[in-house]
PDB file of all heavy atoms in Angstrom:
ATOM      1  N   TYR A  33      -5.533  21.655  -2.116  1.00 95.00           N
ATOM      2  CA  TYR A  33      -4.289  22.270  -2.577  1.00 95.00           C
ATOM      3  C   TYR A  33      -4.600  23.353  -3.663  1.00 95.00           C
ATOM      4  O   TYR A  33      -5.570  23.259  -4.316  1.00 95.00           O
ATOM      5  CB  TYR A  33      -3.371  21.225  -3.255  1.00 95.00           C
ATOM      6  CG  TYR A  33      -3.049  20.033  -2.379  1.00 95.00           C
ATOM      7  CD1 TYR A  33      -3.950  18.980  -2.288  1.00 95.00           C
ATOM      8  CD2 TYR A  33      -1.923  19.973  -1.657  1.00 95.00           C
ATOM      9  CE1 TYR A  33      -3.658  17.865  -1.547  1.00 95.00           C
ATOM     10  CE2 TYR A  33      -1.631  18.890  -0.881  1.00 95.00           C
ATOM     11  CZ  TYR A  33      -2.507  17.825  -0.785  1.00 95.00           C
ATOM     12  OH  TYR A  33      -2.215  16.747   0.002  1.00 95.00           O
ATOM     13  N   GLN A  37       0.552  27.298 -12.658  1.00 95.00           N
ATOM     14  CA  GLN A  37       1.412  26.991 -13.758  1.00 95.00           C
ATOM     15  C   GLN A  37       1.505  28.171 -14.658  1.00 95.00           C
ATOM     16  O   GLN A  37       0.494  28.484 -15.335  1.00 95.00           O
ATOM     17  CB  GLN A  37       0.857  25.705 -14.486  1.00 95.00           C
ATOM     18  CG  GLN A  37       1.784  25.207 -15.588  1.00 95.00           C
ATOM     19  CD  GLN A  37       1.228  23.913 -16.188  1.00 95.00           C
ATOM     20  OE1 GLN A  37       0.075  23.739 -16.335  1.00 95.00           O
ATOM     21  NE2 GLN A  37       2.156  23.092 -16.701  1.00 95.00           N
ATOM     22  N   LYS A  42       6.453  24.479 -15.469  1.00 90.00           N
ATOM     23  CA  LYS A  42       5.996  23.330 -14.655  1.00 90.00           C
ATOM     24  C   LYS A  42       4.939  23.804 -13.642  1.00 90.00           C
ATOM     25  O   LYS A  42       4.686  24.976 -13.387  1.00 90.00           O
ATOM     26  CB  LYS A  42       7.125  22.685 -13.877  1.00 90.00           C
ATOM     27  CG  LYS A  42       7.804  23.569 -12.801  1.00 90.00           C
ATOM     28  CD  LYS A  42       8.925  22.911 -12.152  1.00 90.00           C
ATOM     29  CE  LYS A  42       9.663  23.837 -11.134  1.00 90.00           C
ATOM     30  NZ  LYS A  42       8.930  23.905  -9.846  1.00 90.00           N
ATOM     31  N   GLY A 104      -2.277   4.357   1.103  1.00 49.00           N
ATOM     32  CA  GLY A 104      -1.155   4.512   0.267  1.00 49.00           C
ATOM     33  C   GLY A 104      -1.495   4.746  -1.223  1.00 49.00           C
ATOM     34  O   GLY A 104      -0.600   4.851  -1.993  1.00 49.00           O
ATOM     35  N   GLU A 106      -3.656   7.045  -2.312  1.00 69.00           N
ATOM     36  CA  GLU A 106      -4.210   8.331  -2.530  1.00 69.00           C
ATOM     37  C   GLU A 106      -3.372   9.084  -3.440  1.00 69.00           C
ATOM     38  O   GLU A 106      -2.098   9.100  -3.368  1.00 69.00           O
ATOM     39  CB  GLU A 106      -4.463   9.029  -1.256  1.00 69.00           C
ATOM     40  CG  GLU A 106      -3.251   9.381  -0.402  1.00 69.00           C
ATOM     41  CD  GLU A 106      -2.952   8.301   0.557  1.00 69.00           C
ATOM     42  OE1 GLU A 106      -3.387   7.175   0.435  1.00 69.00           O
ATOM     43  OE2 GLU A 106      -2.105   8.569   1.519  1.00 69.00           O
ATOM     44  N   THR A 107      -3.909   9.909  -4.282  1.00 80.00           N
ATOM     45  CA  THR A 107      -3.243  10.905  -5.090  1.00 80.00           C
ATOM     46  C   THR A 107      -4.051  12.173  -5.106  1.00 80.00           C
ATOM     47  O   THR A 107      -5.077  12.260  -4.505  1.00 80.00           O
ATOM     48  CB  THR A 107      -2.912  10.343  -6.462  1.00 80.00           C
ATOM     49  OG1 THR A 107      -2.003  11.242  -7.095  1.00 80.00           O
ATOM     50  CG2 THR A 107      -4.223  10.300  -7.348  1.00 80.00           C
ATOM     51  N   GLN A 108      -3.466  13.112  -5.794  1.00 86.00           N
ATOM     52  CA  GLN A 108      -4.100  14.411  -5.885  1.00 86.00           C
ATOM     53  C   GLN A 108      -4.873  14.512  -7.192  1.00 86.00           C
ATOM     54  O   GLN A 108      -4.272  14.266  -8.224  1.00 86.00           O
ATOM     55  CB  GLN A 108      -3.189  15.595  -5.723  1.00 86.00           C
ATOM     56  CG  GLN A 108      -2.518  15.562  -4.388  1.00 86.00           C
ATOM     57  CD  GLN A 108      -1.499  16.700  -4.175  1.00 86.00           C
ATOM     58  OE1 GLN A 108      -1.617  17.732  -4.851  1.00 86.00           O
ATOM     59  NE2 GLN A 108      -0.605  16.510  -3.307  1.00 86.00           N
ATOM     60  N   GLY A 111      -8.427  19.916 -10.595  1.00 94.00           N
ATOM     61  CA  GLY A 111      -9.531  20.577 -11.337  1.00 94.00           C
ATOM     62  C   GLY A 111      -9.024  21.043 -12.640  1.00 94.00           C
ATOM     63  O   GLY A 111      -7.863  20.971 -12.957  1.00 94.00           O
TER      64      GLY A 111
ATOM     65  N   GLN B   2      13.367  20.541  -6.902  1.00 90.00           N
ATOM     66  CA  GLN B   2      12.471  19.792  -7.855  1.00 90.00           C
ATOM     67  C   GLN B   2      13.165  18.566  -8.395  1.00 90.00           C
ATOM     68  O   GLN B   2      14.381  18.562  -8.552  1.00 90.00           O
ATOM     69  CB  GLN B   2      12.000  20.712  -8.945  1.00 90.00           C
ATOM     70  CG  GLN B   2      13.148  21.098  -9.961  1.00 90.00           C
ATOM     71  CD  GLN B   2      12.512  21.886 -11.120  1.00 90.00           C
ATOM     72  OE1 GLN B   2      12.128  23.015 -10.910  1.00 90.00           O
ATOM     73  NE2 GLN B   2      12.598  21.310 -12.298  1.00 90.00           N
ATOM     74  N   HIS B  32       4.255  10.360  -8.314  1.00 91.00           N
ATOM     75  CA  HIS B  32       2.983  10.384  -8.993  1.00 91.00           C
ATOM     76  C   HIS B  32       3.238  10.881 -10.422  1.00 91.00           C
ATOM     77  O   HIS B  32       3.968  11.825 -10.661  1.00 91.00           O
ATOM     78  CB  HIS B  32       2.050  11.441  -8.371  1.00 91.00           C
ATOM     79  CG  HIS B  32       1.814  11.249  -6.901  1.00 91.00           C
ATOM     80  ND1 HIS B  32       0.568  11.245  -6.324  1.00 91.00           N
ATOM     81  CD2 HIS B  32       2.689  11.035  -5.834  1.00 91.00           C
ATOM     82  CE1 HIS B  32       0.726  11.047  -4.974  1.00 91.00           C
ATOM     83  NE2 HIS B  32       1.953  10.966  -4.763  1.00 91.00           N
ATOM     84  N   TYR B  34       1.706  12.270 -14.080  1.00 93.00           N
ATOM     85  CA  TYR B  34       0.553  12.844 -14.709  1.00 93.00           C
ATOM     86  C   TYR B  34       0.860  13.186 -16.144  1.00 93.00           C
ATOM     87  O   TYR B  34       2.035  13.330 -16.549  1.00 93.00           O
ATOM     88  CB  TYR B  34       0.273  14.263 -13.968  1.00 93.00           C
ATOM     89  CG  TYR B  34      -0.260  14.170 -12.566  1.00 93.00           C
ATOM     90  CD1 TYR B  34       0.600  13.993 -11.530  1.00 93.00           C
ATOM     91  CD2 TYR B  34      -1.615  14.326 -12.358  1.00 93.00           C
ATOM     92  CE1 TYR B  34       0.124  13.955 -10.233  1.00 93.00           C
ATOM     93  CE2 TYR B  34      -2.053  14.334 -11.039  1.00 93.00           C
ATOM     94  CZ  TYR B  34      -1.207  14.146  -9.979  1.00 93.00           C
ATOM     95  OH  TYR B  34      -1.743  14.086  -8.750  1.00 93.00           O
ATOM     96  N   GLN B  36      -0.390  15.922 -19.204  1.00 93.00           N
ATOM     97  CA  GLN B  36      -1.148  17.180 -19.363  1.00 93.00           C
ATOM     98  C   GLN B  36      -1.149  17.488 -20.899  1.00 93.00           C
ATOM     99  O   GLN B  36      -0.101  17.572 -21.542  1.00 93.00           O
ATOM    100  CB  GLN B  36      -0.440  18.344 -18.585  1.00 93.00           C
ATOM    101  CG  GLN B  36      -1.241  19.609 -18.702  1.00 93.00           C
ATOM    102  CD  GLN B  36      -0.594  20.734 -17.965  1.00 93.00           C
ATOM    103  OE1 GLN B  36       0.637  20.807 -17.852  1.00 93.00           O
ATOM    104  NE2 GLN B  36      -1.375  21.606 -17.343  1.00 93.00           N
ATOM    105  N   ALA B  41      -5.914  20.435 -17.600  1.00 88.00           N
ATOM    106  CA  ALA B  41      -5.353  20.088 -16.286  1.00 88.00           C
ATOM    107  C   ALA B  41      -4.474  18.826 -16.342  1.00 88.00           C
ATOM    108  O   ALA B  41      -4.776  18.012 -17.249  1.00 88.00           O
ATOM    109  CB  ALA B  41      -6.442  19.981 -15.248  1.00 88.00           C
ATOM    110  N   LEU B  49       4.652   3.639  -4.725  1.00 78.00           N
ATOM    111  CA  LEU B  49       5.105   3.880  -3.325  1.00 78.00           C
ATOM    112  C   LEU B  49       6.286   3.115  -2.939  1.00 78.00           C
ATOM    113  O   LEU B  49       7.103   3.596  -2.133  1.00 78.00           O
ATOM    114  CB  LEU B  49       3.955   3.452  -2.380  1.00 78.00           C
ATOM    115  CG  LEU B  49       2.660   4.364  -2.493  1.00 78.00           C
ATOM    116  CD1 LEU B  49       1.586   3.768  -1.646  1.00 78.00           C
ATOM    117  CD2 LEU B  49       3.036   5.738  -1.958  1.00 78.00           C
ATOM    118  N   GLN B  96       2.976  17.507   2.670  1.00 74.00           N
ATOM    119  CA  GLN B  96       1.566  17.456   2.064  1.00 74.00           C
ATOM    120  C   GLN B  96       1.566  18.168   0.730  1.00 74.00           C
ATOM    121  O   GLN B  96       0.605  18.943   0.431  1.00 74.00           O
ATOM    122  CB  GLN B  96       0.588  18.108   3.049  1.00 74.00           C
ATOM    123  CG  GLN B  96       0.369  17.258   4.289  1.00 74.00           C
ATOM    124  CD  GLN B  96      -0.140  15.919   3.937  1.00 74.00           C
ATOM    125  OE1 GLN B  96      -0.840  15.714   3.031  1.00 74.00           O
ATOM    126  NE2 GLN B  96       0.181  14.924   4.826  1.00 74.00           N
TER     127      GLN B  96
END
Side-chain angles (χ1 to χ4, degrees):
Chain A
Y33 305 83
Q37 187 178 33
K42 67 181 174 78
E106 63 268 18
T107 189
Q108 297 182 23
Chain B
Q2 71 176 65
H32 306 228
Y34 291 81
Q36 185 179 34
L49 291 174
Q96 290 301 330

